[in-house]
Amino acid sequence: MLAGNHKFIGFTFLITFQLLSSSIRSSAFLDSIFPTVTVTLINEAGHSVYLKCGFDESGEYKGLQKMEPGDSITWSFVELIFPLRWCYVHIDEETYGAFWAFTVFLQCRDCQWIIRDDGAYHFNHYYDVWKKTRLFFQY
């Protein structure tokens, strides 16, 4: 009886391994587990804003950047489990701080942000509205 169970377990393992290995080679399968997220940030403020967000090719945060009115930046990354990607933005002497550019709770693969004179706004795809986001880590 025990030998029969070992054969069944071995057969089940072999079939499962074959299915997983063929699925792993499929980019659709990998994309469903580790999706590529794109973040777009647009300056709609009436003046230049300074920010630190986005990533270079090695995955490191870029340095301080200046965005003129109407400028936009876009970057992409592969989501790994619980990504916490933030941006620091300095709109003026009274409005500055950090916000999450992407977290799991945003549930977006194409995250869109607008910087306005009064703060940062995230596009909520579910309700089809721009939602103001509280800036945090203010100094």
Side-chain angles (χ1 to χ4, degrees):
M1 177 79 175
L2 190 58
N5 282 340
H6 284 274
K7 288 181 183 177
F8 177 73
I9 291 170
F11 177 74
T12 303
F13 175 76
L14 181 62
I15 295 298
T16 303
F17 178 76
Q18 286 292 341
L19 289 172
L20 285 176
S21 65
S22 65
S23 295
I24 289 172
R25 287 186 291 244
S26 165
S27 66
F29 176 75
L30 286 176
D31 287 344
S32 69
I33 295 175
F34 305 112
T36 298
V37 175
T38 301
V39 177
T40 301
L41 187 63
I42 303 166
N43 179 10
E44 285 191 358
H47 51 81
S48 301
V49 296
Y50 294 89
L51 56 98
K52 182 174 180 169
C53 60
F55 301 88
D56 62 20
E57 295 77 30
S58 67
E60 295 294 320
Y61 278 104
K62 291 181 179 178
L64 189 65
Q65 300 174 56
K66 179 180 179 182
M67 287 182 70
E68 299 294 340
D71 283 354
S72 67
I73 60 170
T74 299
W75 71 94
S76 297
F77 58 91
V78 175
E79 174 188 337
L80 298 175
I81 303 178
F82 296 108
L84 300 173
R85 306 290 178 122
W86 57 271
C87 286
Y88 173 83
V89 62
H90 185 100
I91 298 171
D92 59 35
E93 293 303 317
E94 295 177 4
T95 312
Y96 56 90
F99 63 92
W100 294 119
F102 176 79
T103 58
V104 174
F105 84 91
L106 290 176
Q107 299 178 353
C108 60
R109 299 239 171 109
D110 181 18
C111 301
Q112 299 171 5
W113 290 89
I114 290 178
I115 302 299
R116 295 183 175 152
D117 290 325
D118 64 339
Y121 291 78
H122 170 258
F123 188 73
N124 183 313
H125 291 278
Y126 183 75
Y127 292 108
D128 200 30
V129 296
W130 290 97
K131 182 178 178 186
K132 187 173 182 179
T133 301
R134 184 177 72 85
L135 298 177
F136 58 96
F137 293 138
Q138 295 182 347
Y139 302 101

